[in-house]
Amino acid sequence: MRINQERFGEINGREVTAVTIKNSHGMTLTCLNYGGIITKILVPDASGKVENVVLGFDTVEEYEKYSPYFGAVVGRVAGRIKGGAFTLNGKTYHVTKNENGNHLHGGHRGFSHVFWDMETAEDHHSASVAFFYQSPDGEEGYPGNLQMKMVYTLDDDNRFTIRYHGVSDETTLVNVTNHTYFNLSGNLKRDVLGHTLEMKSHRFLELDRSLLPTGQILAVEDTPFDFRSGRRVEDGVRSTHEQNLIASRGYDHPFLLDRHFDREIVLTDPESGRQLIVETDQPCVVLYTGNQLGDDFMIRGVQARKYLGLCLETQGLPDAVHHPHFPSVVLEKGGTYQAKTIYTFCVK
Ligand code: FUC
Protein backbone atom coordinates (compact mmCIF):
# COMPACT_ATOMS: atom_id res chain seq x y z
CA MET A 1 0.00 0.00 0.00
CA ARG A 2 1.21 3.48 -0.73
CA ILE A 3 -0.06 6.74 0.76
CA ASN A 4 0.79 10.06 -0.77
CA GLN A 5 -0.26 13.58 0.25
CA GLU A 6 -0.21 16.71 -1.85
CA ARG A 7 -1.59 20.20 -1.90
CA PHE A 8 -4.90 20.40 -3.78
CA GLY A 9 -5.71 24.08 -3.29
CA GLU A 10 -6.83 26.56 -0.69
CA ILE A 11 -10.13 27.64 0.87
CA ASN A 12 -10.31 30.70 3.18
CA GLY A 13 -6.53 30.67 3.63
CA ARG A 14 -6.40 27.03 4.68
CA GLU A 15 -4.72 24.37 2.59
CA VAL A 16 -6.86 21.67 1.04
CA THR A 17 -4.81 18.47 1.03
CA ALA A 18 -5.36 15.47 -1.23
CA VAL A 19 -4.46 12.03 0.10
CA THR A 20 -3.99 9.26 -2.42
CA ILE A 21 -3.97 5.60 -1.41
CA LYS A 22 -2.79 3.01 -3.89
CA ASN A 23 -3.09 -0.73 -3.34
CA SER A 24 -1.26 -3.57 -5.08
CA HIS A 25 -4.28 -4.58 -7.21
CA GLY A 26 -4.52 -1.57 -9.44
CA MET A 27 -6.93 0.47 -7.30
CA THR A 28 -6.29 4.07 -6.27
CA LEU A 29 -8.45 6.37 -4.17
CA THR A 30 -7.97 10.10 -3.68
CA CYS A 31 -9.77 12.12 -1.01
CA LEU A 32 -9.63 15.61 0.50
CA ASN A 33 -9.51 17.03 4.03
CA TYR A 34 -12.45 19.20 2.90
CA GLY A 35 -15.85 17.45 3.09
CA GLY A 36 -13.98 14.14 3.05
CA ILE A 37 -14.49 14.52 -0.70
CA ILE A 38 -13.54 11.50 -2.79
CA THR A 39 -12.19 13.07 -5.95
CA LYS A 40 -11.13 9.90 -7.79
CA ILE A 41 -11.44 6.15 -7.63
CA LEU A 42 -9.34 4.36 -10.23
CA VAL A 43 -10.16 0.69 -10.88
CA PRO A 44 -9.43 -1.79 -13.67
CA ASP A 45 -12.05 -2.92 -16.22
CA ALA A 46 -12.39 -6.49 -17.50
CA SER A 47 -9.36 -6.02 -19.77
CA GLY A 48 -7.26 -4.52 -16.98
CA LYS A 49 -7.61 -0.90 -18.11
CA VAL A 50 -7.46 1.39 -15.08
CA GLU A 51 -9.82 4.38 -15.20
CA ASN A 52 -11.71 6.74 -12.90
CA VAL A 53 -15.23 5.67 -11.86
CA VAL A 54 -16.52 8.69 -9.89
CA LEU A 55 -17.51 12.27 -10.69
CA GLY A 56 -15.01 14.81 -9.40
CA PHE A 57 -12.90 17.84 -10.19
CA ASP A 58 -9.20 18.72 -10.09
CA THR A 59 -9.60 22.16 -8.43
CA VAL A 60 -11.25 23.50 -5.27
CA GLU A 61 -12.72 26.35 -7.31
CA GLU A 62 -14.80 23.91 -9.36
CA TYR A 63 -15.96 22.11 -6.20
CA GLU A 64 -17.03 25.42 -4.66
CA LYS A 65 -18.77 26.62 -7.80
CA TYR A 66 -20.45 23.58 -9.30
CA SER A 67 -20.38 20.49 -7.12
CA PRO A 68 -23.73 18.96 -6.13
CA TYR A 69 -22.00 17.13 -3.25
CA PHE A 70 -19.65 15.17 -5.56
CA GLY A 71 -17.91 12.55 -3.39
CA ALA A 72 -18.63 14.37 -0.13
CA VAL A 73 -19.83 13.22 3.26
CA VAL A 74 -23.25 14.71 3.99
CA GLY A 75 -24.63 15.36 7.48
CA ARG A 76 -25.55 15.87 10.23
CA VAL A 77 -28.68 14.58 8.51
CA ALA A 78 -28.62 13.40 4.91
CA GLY A 79 -31.63 14.13 2.70
CA ARG A 80 -34.47 16.50 3.52
CA ILE A 81 -36.05 17.57 6.81
CA LYS A 82 -39.53 18.93 6.12
CA GLY A 83 -39.96 22.61 6.94
CA GLY A 84 -36.46 22.76 8.42
CA ALA A 85 -37.83 22.12 11.90
CA PHE A 86 -38.24 19.22 14.30
CA THR A 87 -39.06 18.58 17.95
CA LEU A 88 -36.82 16.64 20.31
CA ASN A 89 -37.75 16.06 23.96
CA GLY A 90 -40.47 18.73 23.71
CA LYS A 91 -38.18 21.41 22.28
CA THR A 92 -38.48 22.65 18.70
CA TYR A 93 -35.31 23.21 16.69
CA HIS A 94 -35.00 25.17 13.46
CA VAL A 95 -32.33 23.99 11.06
CA THR A 96 -31.08 25.77 7.94
CA LYS A 97 -33.67 25.89 5.17
CA ASN A 98 -31.49 25.56 2.10
CA GLU A 99 -33.94 24.02 -0.39
CA ASN A 100 -37.51 25.23 -1.01
CA GLY A 101 -38.21 25.85 2.67
CA ASN A 102 -36.80 22.47 3.67
CA HIS A 103 -33.44 21.44 5.10
CA LEU A 104 -31.19 19.47 2.71
CA HIS A 105 -28.00 17.48 3.36
CA GLY A 106 -27.08 19.17 6.65
CA GLY A 107 -27.60 22.80 5.58
CA HIS A 108 -25.35 25.41 3.95
CA ARG A 109 -22.05 23.86 4.93
CA GLY A 110 -23.02 20.78 6.94
CA PHE A 111 -20.25 18.18 6.88
CA SER A 112 -19.63 18.53 3.13
CA HIS A 113 -18.26 22.08 3.03
CA VAL A 114 -15.97 22.13 6.07
CA PHE A 115 -12.42 21.09 6.86
CA TRP A 116 -11.84 17.79 8.64
CA ASP A 117 -8.58 16.99 10.47
CA MET A 118 -6.87 14.00 8.93
CA GLU A 119 -4.62 11.20 10.12
CA THR A 120 -3.28 8.42 7.92
CA ALA A 121 -2.29 4.90 8.92
CA GLU A 122 -1.23 1.75 7.12
CA ASP A 123 -0.56 -1.91 7.70
CA HIS A 124 0.29 -4.89 5.44
CA HIS A 125 -2.93 -5.14 3.47
CA SER A 126 -4.69 -1.83 3.97
CA ALA A 127 -4.28 1.89 4.43
CA SER A 128 -6.66 4.33 6.11
CA VAL A 129 -7.45 7.97 6.44
CA ALA A 130 -9.23 8.99 9.65
CA PHE A 131 -11.17 12.27 9.54
CA PHE A 132 -12.23 14.29 12.59
CA TYR A 133 -14.78 17.08 12.79
CA GLN A 134 -16.24 18.85 15.83
CA SER A 135 -19.63 20.24 14.96
CA PRO A 136 -20.45 22.91 17.55
CA ASP A 137 -23.77 23.14 19.40
CA GLY A 138 -26.24 25.08 17.25
CA GLU A 139 -24.39 24.54 13.98
CA GLU A 140 -26.95 24.71 11.15
CA GLY A 141 -29.52 24.75 14.00
CA TYR A 142 -28.79 21.29 15.45
CA PRO A 143 -28.46 20.85 19.22
CA GLY A 144 -25.35 19.46 20.91
CA ASN A 145 -21.61 19.55 20.37
CA LEU A 146 -21.13 16.58 18.07
CA GLN A 147 -17.74 14.93 17.64
CA MET A 148 -17.55 13.06 14.38
CA LYS A 149 -14.95 10.58 13.24
CA MET A 150 -14.96 8.90 9.87
CA VAL A 151 -12.44 6.38 8.56
CA TYR A 152 -11.80 5.52 4.90
CA THR A 153 -9.93 2.24 4.44
CA LEU A 154 -8.69 0.73 1.20
CA ASP A 155 -7.44 -2.83 1.26
CA ASP A 156 -5.67 -5.11 -1.19
CA ASP A 157 -8.93 -6.85 -2.16
CA ASN A 158 -10.19 -3.64 -3.84
CA ARG A 159 -12.49 -3.10 -0.90
CA PHE A 160 -13.11 0.46 0.23
CA THR A 161 -14.76 0.79 3.66
CA ILE A 162 -16.25 3.88 5.28
CA ARG A 163 -16.89 3.82 9.03
CA TYR A 164 -18.71 6.66 10.77
CA HIS A 165 -18.71 7.36 14.48
CA GLY A 166 -20.31 10.21 16.45
CA VAL A 167 -20.88 11.27 20.06
CA SER A 168 -22.80 14.31 21.29
CA ASP A 169 -23.13 16.11 24.62
CA GLU A 170 -26.85 16.73 23.95
CA THR A 171 -29.50 14.62 22.30
CA THR A 172 -29.41 15.41 18.56
CA LEU A 173 -30.02 13.94 15.11
CA VAL A 174 -27.37 12.12 13.06
CA ASN A 175 -27.80 10.31 9.75
CA VAL A 176 -24.68 10.54 7.64
CA THR A 177 -23.92 9.25 4.16
CA ASN A 178 -21.39 9.58 1.37
CA HIS A 179 -22.57 11.29 -1.80
CA THR A 180 -20.22 9.82 -4.42
CA TYR A 181 -21.61 9.72 -7.97
CA PHE A 182 -20.46 6.47 -9.60
CA ASN A 183 -19.99 5.88 -13.31
CA LEU A 184 -18.35 2.55 -14.03
CA SER A 185 -17.84 3.21 -17.77
CA GLY A 186 -14.42 4.69 -16.94
CA ASN A 187 -13.46 8.37 -17.31
CA LEU A 188 -17.14 9.21 -18.00
CA LYS A 189 -17.19 7.63 -21.45
CA ARG A 190 -20.93 7.04 -21.24
CA ASP A 191 -23.78 8.01 -18.94
CA VAL A 192 -25.09 5.45 -16.43
CA LEU A 193 -28.34 4.55 -18.22
CA GLY A 194 -26.88 1.28 -19.51
CA HIS A 195 -25.63 0.26 -16.06
CA THR A 196 -27.60 -2.52 -14.40
CA LEU A 197 -28.50 -2.47 -10.75
CA GLU A 198 -29.50 -5.37 -8.54
CA MET A 199 -30.80 -4.64 -5.04
CA LYS A 200 -32.17 -6.83 -2.27
CA SER A 201 -35.07 -4.55 -1.50
CA HIS A 202 -38.80 -5.22 -1.70
CA ARG A 203 -40.00 -1.85 -0.37
CA PHE A 204 -39.27 1.79 -1.10
CA LEU A 205 -40.52 5.11 0.23
CA GLU A 206 -43.12 7.12 -1.64
CA LEU A 207 -42.04 10.74 -2.19
CA ASP A 208 -44.07 13.91 -2.53
CA ARG A 209 -43.35 16.66 -5.07
CA SER A 210 -40.66 18.17 -2.81
CA LEU A 211 -38.95 14.75 -2.76
CA LEU A 212 -39.87 14.28 0.91
CA PRO A 213 -41.19 10.90 2.09
CA THR A 214 -44.99 10.89 2.41
CA GLY A 215 -44.73 8.21 5.10
CA GLN A 216 -46.11 5.52 2.78
CA ILE A 217 -43.94 2.47 2.22
CA LEU A 218 -44.60 0.95 -1.20
CA ALA A 219 -44.00 -2.56 -2.55
CA VAL A 220 -41.59 -2.71 -5.50
CA GLU A 221 -43.52 -5.57 -7.13
CA ASP A 222 -44.53 -4.91 -10.76
CA THR A 223 -42.93 -1.46 -10.79
CA PRO A 224 -39.66 -0.03 -12.21
CA PHE A 225 -38.55 0.02 -8.56
CA ASP A 226 -38.13 -3.75 -8.51
CA PHE A 227 -34.38 -4.30 -8.75
CA ARG A 228 -34.46 -7.73 -7.11
CA SER A 229 -33.50 -9.59 -10.30
CA GLY A 230 -31.53 -6.65 -11.70
CA ARG A 231 -32.63 -4.01 -14.22
CA ARG A 232 -31.20 -1.25 -16.34
CA VAL A 233 -31.11 2.22 -14.78
CA GLU A 234 -32.71 3.45 -18.00
CA ASP A 235 -36.00 1.72 -17.07
CA GLY A 236 -36.71 4.43 -14.49
CA VAL A 237 -35.96 7.19 -16.97
CA ARG A 238 -38.29 5.84 -19.66
CA SER A 239 -40.92 4.97 -17.07
CA THR A 240 -44.22 6.85 -16.71
CA HIS A 241 -44.62 5.67 -13.10
CA GLU A 242 -45.68 8.71 -11.09
CA GLN A 243 -42.78 8.25 -8.67
CA ASN A 244 -40.21 8.32 -11.51
CA LEU A 245 -41.84 11.46 -12.91
CA ILE A 246 -41.79 13.16 -9.49
CA ALA A 247 -38.04 12.52 -9.39
CA SER A 248 -37.61 14.45 -12.71
CA ARG A 249 -37.51 11.16 -14.64
CA GLY A 250 -35.37 8.67 -12.82
CA TYR A 251 -34.83 7.63 -9.24
CA ASP A 252 -34.30 9.74 -6.13
CA HIS A 253 -35.75 7.19 -3.74
CA PRO A 254 -34.96 5.47 -0.46
CA PHE A 255 -35.05 1.66 -0.78
CA LEU A 256 -35.36 -0.43 2.39
CA LEU A 257 -32.66 -3.08 2.37
CA ASP A 258 -33.73 -6.67 3.08
CA ARG A 259 -30.20 -7.91 3.73
CA HIS A 260 -26.95 -6.56 5.17
CA PHE A 261 -23.38 -7.45 4.20
CA ASP A 262 -24.81 -9.91 1.69
CA ARG A 263 -24.23 -8.30 -1.73
CA GLU A 264 -27.41 -6.28 -1.22
CA ILE A 265 -26.53 -3.66 -3.87
CA VAL A 266 -24.70 -4.62 -7.06
CA LEU A 267 -24.06 -2.10 -9.84
CA THR A 268 -22.65 -3.37 -13.14
CA ASP A 269 -21.50 -1.73 -16.34
CA PRO A 270 -21.89 -4.54 -18.88
CA GLU A 271 -19.63 -2.82 -21.44
CA SER A 272 -16.54 -2.33 -19.30
CA GLY A 273 -17.32 -5.35 -17.12
CA ARG A 274 -16.76 -3.26 -13.99
CA GLN A 275 -18.87 -4.08 -10.99
CA LEU A 276 -19.43 -2.36 -7.64
CA ILE A 277 -20.87 -4.22 -4.67
CA VAL A 278 -22.18 -2.05 -1.83
CA GLU A 279 -22.84 -3.59 1.56
CA THR A 280 -23.96 -1.76 4.69
CA ASP A 281 -25.40 -1.95 8.19
CA GLN A 282 -27.75 0.93 7.34
CA PRO A 283 -31.51 0.36 6.87
CA CYS A 284 -31.76 2.00 3.46
CA VAL A 285 -30.05 3.25 0.35
CA VAL A 286 -31.15 6.36 -1.52
CA LEU A 287 -30.73 5.70 -5.21
CA TYR A 288 -30.23 9.03 -6.98
CA THR A 289 -29.64 8.81 -10.72
CA GLY A 290 -28.31 12.34 -11.23
CA ASN A 291 -31.67 13.61 -12.52
CA GLN A 292 -30.89 17.16 -11.42
CA LEU A 293 -27.35 17.32 -12.73
CA GLY A 294 -26.89 20.63 -14.56
CA ASP A 295 -25.23 20.96 -17.98
CA ASP A 296 -23.56 24.33 -17.36
CA PHE A 297 -20.13 22.98 -16.45
CA MET A 298 -17.49 20.47 -17.45
CA ILE A 299 -16.24 17.52 -15.42
CA ARG A 300 -12.59 16.83 -16.29
CA GLY A 301 -13.23 17.69 -19.93
CA VAL A 302 -16.62 15.96 -20.17
CA GLN A 303 -19.85 17.94 -20.46
CA ALA A 304 -21.91 17.57 -17.25
CA ARG A 305 -25.44 16.32 -17.90
CA LYS A 306 -28.31 14.33 -16.43
CA TYR A 307 -27.59 10.68 -15.66
CA LEU A 308 -23.81 11.07 -15.89
CA GLY A 309 -23.46 9.46 -12.47
CA LEU A 310 -25.53 7.74 -9.83
CA CYS A 311 -25.39 7.87 -6.05
CA LEU A 312 -25.95 4.95 -3.71
CA GLU A 313 -26.46 6.80 -0.43
CA THR A 314 -26.56 4.22 2.36
CA GLN A 315 -28.20 5.74 5.42
CA GLY A 316 -31.13 5.83 7.83
CA LEU A 317 -34.49 6.82 6.37
CA PRO A 318 -34.84 10.46 5.26
CA ASP A 319 -36.99 12.79 7.39
CA ALA A 320 -37.28 10.01 9.98
CA VAL A 321 -37.80 12.62 12.71
CA HIS A 322 -41.27 13.32 11.26
CA HIS A 323 -42.28 9.69 10.79
CA PRO A 324 -42.46 7.72 14.06
CA HIS A 325 -42.78 4.41 12.17
CA PHE A 326 -39.34 4.94 10.53
CA PRO A 327 -36.27 3.79 12.48
CA SER A 328 -35.08 6.69 14.63
CA VAL A 329 -32.06 8.84 13.70
CA VAL A 330 -31.94 10.41 17.16
CA LEU A 331 -28.54 10.21 18.83
CA GLU A 332 -29.07 10.32 22.59
CA LYS A 333 -26.75 12.35 24.77
CA GLY A 334 -23.96 9.99 25.81
CA GLY A 335 -24.87 7.48 23.09
CA THR A 336 -22.79 6.57 20.05
CA TYR A 337 -23.71 6.84 16.38
CA GLN A 338 -22.05 4.20 14.24
CA ALA A 339 -22.44 3.21 10.61
CA LYS A 340 -20.42 1.21 8.12
CA THR A 341 -20.54 0.76 4.35
CA ILE A 342 -18.23 -1.36 2.20
CA TYR A 343 -17.71 -0.69 -1.52
CA THR A 344 -16.04 -3.60 -3.33
CA PHE A 345 -14.85 -3.16 -6.91
CA CYS A 346 -14.46 -6.16 -9.18
CA VAL A 347 -15.09 -7.26 -12.77
CA LYS A 348 -17.81 -9.50 -14.04
C1 FUC B 1 -29.52 13.62 -3.70
C2 FUC B 1 -30.98 13.85 -3.92
C3 FUC B 1 -31.40 15.21 -4.02
C4 FUC B 1 -30.42 16.25 -4.47
C5 FUC B 1 -29.00 15.97 -4.10
C6 FUC B 1 -27.98 16.74 -4.84
O1 FUC B 1 -29.21 13.08 -2.47
O2 FUC B 1 -31.78 13.16 -2.99
O3 FUC B 1 -32.62 15.30 -4.69
O4 FUC B 1 -30.53 16.51 -5.79
O5 FUC B 1 -28.66 14.66 -4.03
Side-chain angles (χ1 to χ4, degrees):
M1 304 292 296
R2 284 215 315 265
I3 304 186
N4 181 53
Q5 294 204 22
E6 63 182 0
R7 187 192 144 87
F8 188 80
E10 195 180 294
I11 295 176
N12 299 329
R14 184 166 168 188
E15 178 175 306
V16 178
T17 306
V19 175
T20 297
I21 309 176
K22 195 170 178 174
N23 75 7
S24 55
H25 282 93
M27 181 166 168
T28 303
L29 179 129
T30 302
C31 56
L32 306 179
N33 62 339
Y34 187 77
I37 291 172
I38 295 164
T39 61
K40 270 183 197 168
I41 297 180
L42 308 178
V43 289
D45 70 4
S47 69
K49 189 166 183 197
V50 176
E51 290 172 312
N52 179 33
V53 293
V54 302
L55 271 59
F57 296 113
D58 294 322
T59 67
V60 289
E61 290 74 22
E62 288 165 292
Y63 276 104
E64 290 289 85
K65 201 162 170 198
Y66 305 118
S67 176
Y69 306 93
F70 283 174
V73 51
V74 295
R76 294 187 189 188
V77 174
R80 295 169 176 86
I81 297 178
K82 190 171 185 168
F86 57 87
T87 304
L88 269 186
N89 297 331
K91 198 171 163 198
T92 299
Y93 295 93
H94 295 274
V95 284
T96 312
K97 293 181 187 174
N98 54 330
E99 194 203 54
N100 306 325
N102 300 312
H103 178 79
L104 174 66
H105 290 334
H108 289 312
R109 308 196 71 79
F111 291 169
S112 50
H113 294 74
V114 294
F115 281 92
W116 292 64
D117 291 324
M118 266 186 336
E119 271 172 27
T120 58
E122 60 188 302
D123 61 31
H124 284 322
H125 300 292
S126 71
S128 311
V129 188
F131 297 88
F132 304 88
Y133 180 64
Q134 312 251 10
S135 172
D137 178 37
E139 188 173 49
E140 306 281 3
Y142 290 103
N145 292 293
L146 174 67
Q147 287 186 45
M148 283 300 301
K149 179 179 178 187
M150 160 171 98
V151 183
Y152 292 178
T153 304
L154 177 65
D155 70 17
D156 268 332
D157 297 319
N158 285 0
R159 200 160 36 204
F160 169 53
T161 304
I162 306 185
R163 290 183 180 82
Y164 305 91
H165 183 270
V167 288
S168 171
D169 62 1
E170 290 296 336
T171 297
T172 190
L173 300 185
V174 184
N175 182 18
V176 179
T177 193
N178 178 277
H179 210 286
T180 292
Y181 292 68
F182 296 99
N183 180 327
L184 302 181
S185 71
N187 298 346
L188 310 183
K189 272 196 284 299
R190 299 178 289 279
D191 61 33
V192 296
L193 296 182
H195 283 33
T196 58
L197 182 63
E198 197 175 329
M199 294 202 287
K200 293 178 179 162
S201 166
H202 74 282
R203 293 176 304 162
F204 70 107
L205 298 190
E206 182 186 63
L207 301 180
D208 68 16
R209 299 202 168 273
S210 306
L211 303 175
L212 276 151
T214 62
Q216 291 292 328
I217 301 176
L218 305 177
V220 298
E221 206 126 42
D222 300 324
T223 75
F225 292 80
D226 191 349
F227 286 94
R228 289 173 297 179
S229 328
R231 71 185 317 137
R232 276 163 71 89
V233 170
E234 189 166 24
D235 289 358
V237 170
R238 296 191 176 279
S239 149
T240 54
H241 191 291
E242 192 209 351
Q243 285 294 306
N244 292 122
L245 299 179
I246 271 184
S248 309
R249 297 192 178 270
Y251 302 95
D252 198 346
H253 290 77
F255 288 79
L256 294 160
L257 295 170
D258 297 337
R259 311 280 302 174
H260 298 284
F261 302 112
D262 185 24
R263 299 172 62 95
E264 56 267 31
I265 306 164
V266 180
L267 181 69
T268 308
D269 173 36
E271 269 192 66
S272 67
R274 288 193 185 92
Q275 196 163 61
L276 165 64
I277 301 161
V278 182
E279 298 170 303
T280 186
D281 58 3
Q282 292 299 288
C284 92
V285 59
V286 173
L287 166 63
Y288 171 56
T289 47
N291 324 319
Q292 300 175 41
L293 268 175
D295 54 9
D296 54 340
F297 61 96
M298 304 289 284
I299 307 173
R300 295 191 177 113
V302 175
Q303 177 67 54
R305 56 190 190 275
K306 278 179 96 160
Y307 318 122
L308 194 58
L310 69 79
C311 302
L312 296 164
E313 305 163 47
T314 52
Q315 57 182 260
L317 275 57
D319 205 25
V321 72
H322 291 127
H323 298 282
H325 59 300
F326 290 178
S328 169
V329 297
V330 173
L331 171 62
E332 299 290 343
K333 171 181 180 172
T336 303
Y337 167 81
Q338 279 193 54
K340 176 175 158 179
T341 298
I342 305 175
Y343 308 81
T344 306
F345 291 87
C346 50
V347 289
K348 217 186 143 149

